[in-house]
Amino acid sequence: MENFWIIALSLFVFNTLLIWRVTRKYFKREYGKAMWKNWTVQTYHWQGAIYLSTGLTFLMLVLLKWADLLSL
């Protein structure tokens, strides 16, 4: 059971950082440098990255369990 949580947390952190890294430049360009420095915009960006990462992590864990690569 401990391995499951280690894998889940690792996937979540990896997905979150990957999504943040990929979308950061787009949103910085979309909002402009002055607006990007506003914490509200950055908070919404992080919130979206975390929500998307949570769903992606859940999907990956379900697929790993379905493929019988992950045992609980």
Side-chain angles (χ1 to χ4, degrees):
M1 190 67 170
E2 290 178 14
N3 289 338
F4 171 78
W5 291 110
I6 292 171
I7 292 171
L9 187 61
S10 299
L11 281 174
F12 176 74
V13 169
F14 176 75
N15 288 337
T16 303
L17 292 177
L18 182 69
I19 291 168
W20 173 75
R21 183 116 175 138
V22 168
T23 60
R24 179 177 46 123
K25 290 180 183 178
Y26 170 77
F27 283 105
K28 190 182 270 189
R29 187 176 56 239
E30 184 73 24
Y31 287 108
K33 289 184 179 181
M35 190 69 164
W36 183 253
K37 291 183 181 183
N38 186 353
W39 277 97
T40 307
V41 174
Q42 290 184 26
T43 302
Y44 285 135
H45 180 249
W46 270 107
Q47 185 178 7
I50 289 172
Y51 285 159
L52 188 58
S53 177
T54 301
L56 188 60
T57 301
F58 177 75
L59 182 64
M60 291 173 82
L61 289 173
V62 167
L63 289 175
L64 286 173
K65 178 67 176 157
W66 177 74
D68 214 13
L69 296 172
L70 185 65
S71 62
L72 296 178

